Amino acid sequence: MIDLKPYNTFGVSVKTPHLITVESKKALIEALRLHPNALILGKGSNILFTKDLQQPVIVIANQGITTENWENNLVKVTAAAGESWDDLVQYALSLDLCGLENLSLIPSSVGAAPIQNIGAYGVEQNQFFESCLALDCSNLTWVQFSKEECQFGYRNSFFKNEGKGRFIIWEVSYVLPSKAAELNITYAPLKNYFEEHPEIQPTPKKIAELVIAIRKSKLPDPSKLGNAGSFFKNPVIEEELALQLRREFSDLPTYPASDGVKVAAGWLIEKAGFKGYFNGDAGVHEKQALVLVNKGGASGKEIANLSVQIQKKVFDQFRIRLEPEVTIL
Ligand code: FAD
Ligand code: EPU
């Protein structure tokens, strides 16, 4: 049996009967022929294991990034699924390509980025996504997905719905501007910084630097404190409930969404009294209440139980259901 503790950023200890690391298409297909029910894992930064697995784990570890010129000063960058997302961001920055700077330091693999449609500081990966290559596990054939086919939404995609469990993403392509394009400084702390420092020009590298500093000030480093980033999604509620809540709580952070009003889950959890709360080693981060943490010895079950306790209290207090962003197994 193999301990999955080094393979998940929550740092919980559960066992799997087999773990296979695949770096080539051939190895992936061979592994799937032997273990068709295997769990696919990237960097384990969005998963909470609550019990030992009966099935083997396949870790996607193919490497490589290539570029090709695209039309109108655009460059197509294709990265292997097993690459670290932040290495891709840094690589793009080193070539003076724009777009991914707001997504610096997310501890994702490239392959998992389209699944969640990762996002941060005003940008989501779908804004620059061009296509991805995936293996259809139902017949072991390769399929190219266009942006439209991926049906991206807020922390959502085709791969979390109809395509769930069927496709393994192997390569992802982004099309990035090579000339200073419109940079995104809409996120309040970025906007404030450039307003307070008019002598400093926003550049992709400067934005990346600021995003990294903001992230380090709020989000725990998984190598020091186990976590999987935001545990819940920011809920989207009906306009009417938002109006009622705003009357009661004038400081409730809300954002317009296509299908209602998005509410800051971190605020709800803090107001429900959980910020900095611990039950043993499972707790809520003291600087960001949307992040559940493992001080070292918590089991996945303890963290999952805490998440249910939070959901109940938030629902009782605000009539809002929090939906986990993290995959709980
Ligand atoms: P894993 O956790 O390994 O897997 C997640 C799911 O995807 C699993 O169901 C797995 O089976 C499946 N999967 C993984 N790889 C593949 C593949 N190649 N093909 C098919 N299925 C696959 N997310 C954000 O969006 N924005 C943030 O700002 C952000 N900040 C974070 C900060 C911290 C400190 C941490 C720990 C996490 C953060 N996250 C953030 C969450 C997380 O990094 C993302 O959800 C990321 O995309 C998960 O990637 P992974 O490779 O770790 O996936
Ligand atoms: N807030 C509180 N208390 C808290 C935490 C947050 O009141 O303890 C308030 C903040 O004051 C702010 C608002 O909530 O007004 C939003 O907080 P923040 O900007 O920190 O972002 P978030 O909504 O909590 C989201 C993403 C993050 C992403 C950041 C930055 C989700 C679920 N989370 O967090 O993504 O990095 O915005 O864009 O959408 C992740 O998905 O794992 C993740 C970390």
Side-chain angles (χ1 to χ4, degrees):
M1 296 293 269
I2 293 150
D3 193 340
L4 285 172
K5 192 171 168 125
Y7 295 92
N8 70 97
T9 59
F10 257 124
V12 299
S13 191
V14 294
K15 304 267 189 325
T16 174
H18 281 294
L19 185 130
I20 306 147
T21 300
V22 298
E23 293 176 13
S24 69
K25 286 181 173 176
K26 189 165 166 261
L28 174 62
I29 289 176
E30 272 169 19
L32 282 169
R33 284 213 171 100
L34 280 174
H35 309 290
N37 67 336
L39 171 75
I40 303 302
L41 206 56
K43 306 287 181 198
S45 67
N46 204 41
I47 204 153
L48 177 63
F49 294 114
T50 61
K51 52 181 183 289
D52 288 343
L53 303 185
Q54 301 303 313
Q55 81 224 90
V57 169
I58 296 178
V59 179
I60 304 297
N62 56 328
Q63 298 290 297
I65 306 180
T66 57
T67 55
E68 70 181 91
N69 285 333
W70 206 243
E71 64 221 13
N72 300 332
N73 295 319
L74 296 170
V75 174
K76 179 171 165 177
V77 181
T78 300
E83 286 281 353
S84 128
W85 172 264
D86 193 48
D87 286 352
L88 169 63
V89 175
Q90 294 309 318
Y91 181 77
L93 284 172
S94 75
L95 297 180
D96 285 327
L97 299 175
C98 319
L100 303 184
E101 53 279 357
N102 299 54
L103 302 175
S104 292
L105 215 66
I106 300 179
S108 181
S109 61
V110 165
I115 297 175
Q116 272 287 103
N117 189 22
I118 57 170
Y121 307 100
V123 173
E124 286 179 333
Q125 69 86 48
N126 66 319
Q127 288 168 244
F128 299 94
F129 178 96
E130 195 269 331
S131 64
C132 67
L133 177 71
L135 182 70
D136 183 343
C137 296
S138 71
N139 54 15
L140 299 184
T141 59
W142 294 95
V143 192
Q144 193 80 22
F145 281 89
S146 68
K147 184 168 169 170
E148 290 66 36
E149 286 166 330
C150 292
Q151 299 169 22
F152 292 120
Y154 165 60
R155 297 295 189 276
N156 207 358
S157 72
F158 167 81
F159 303 104
K160 289 182 84 180
N161 296 292
E162 299 96 302
K164 195 172 176 185
R166 180 168 159 192
F167 297 96
I168 298 175
I169 298 182
W170 189 249
E171 249 173 37
V172 189
S173 297
Y174 293 92
V175 168
L176 304 175
S178 61
K179 286 240 170 85
E182 212 175 293
L183 301 171
N184 189 317
I185 50 168
T186 51
Y187 184 76
L190 292 177
K191 195 162 161 259
N192 297 343
Y193 177 88
F194 289 110
E195 275 171 11
E196 284 159 20
H197 299 85
E199 73 287 3
I200 298 176
Q201 275 299 311
T203 62
K205 282 180 186 146
K206 185 69 200 172
I207 292 173
E209 190 191 300
L210 292 172
V211 163
I212 290 169
I214 296 169
R215 294 183 71 92
K216 284 187 171 166
S217 72
K218 285 193 201 178
L219 296 167
D221 174 352
S223 69
K224 301 196 177 103
L225 184 63
N227 76 94
S230 301
F231 194 89
F232 301 102
K233 291 188 199 179
N234 283 324
V236 175
I237 61 171
E238 287 178 5
E239 184 72 49
E240 202 182 306
L241 178 56
L243 274 171
Q244 282 173 25
L245 288 172
R246 269 198 226 106
R247 253 179 255 129
E248 254 176 278
F249 310 98
S250 57
D251 59 333
L252 172 73
T254 57
Y255 318 92
S258 55
D259 44 351
V261 177
K262 200 189 264 185
V263 179
W267 185 96
L268 298 172
I269 298 170
E270 179 174 347
K271 285 287 180 253
F274 284 103
K275 197 168 187 171
Y277 168 86
F278 272 86
N279 185 356
D281 274 0
V284 177
H285 192 43
E286 58 188 9
K287 293 184 192 150
Q288 226 297 1
L290 193 43
V291 179
L292 302 198
V293 297
N294 174 13
K295 264 202 259 181
S299 68
K301 257 203 188 106
E302 286 169 328
I303 297 165
N305 287 344
L306 173 60
S307 77
V308 172
Q309 204 186 329
I310 292 171
Q311 281 171 313
K312 281 198 180 123
K313 184 106 189 273
V314 165
F315 184 76
D316 290 346
Q317 211 164 322
F318 302 104
R319 305 178 293 288
I320 295 178
R321 278 180 214 287
L322 293 180
E323 186 193 328
E325 177 189 302
V326 170
T327 302
I328 304 173
L329 284 183

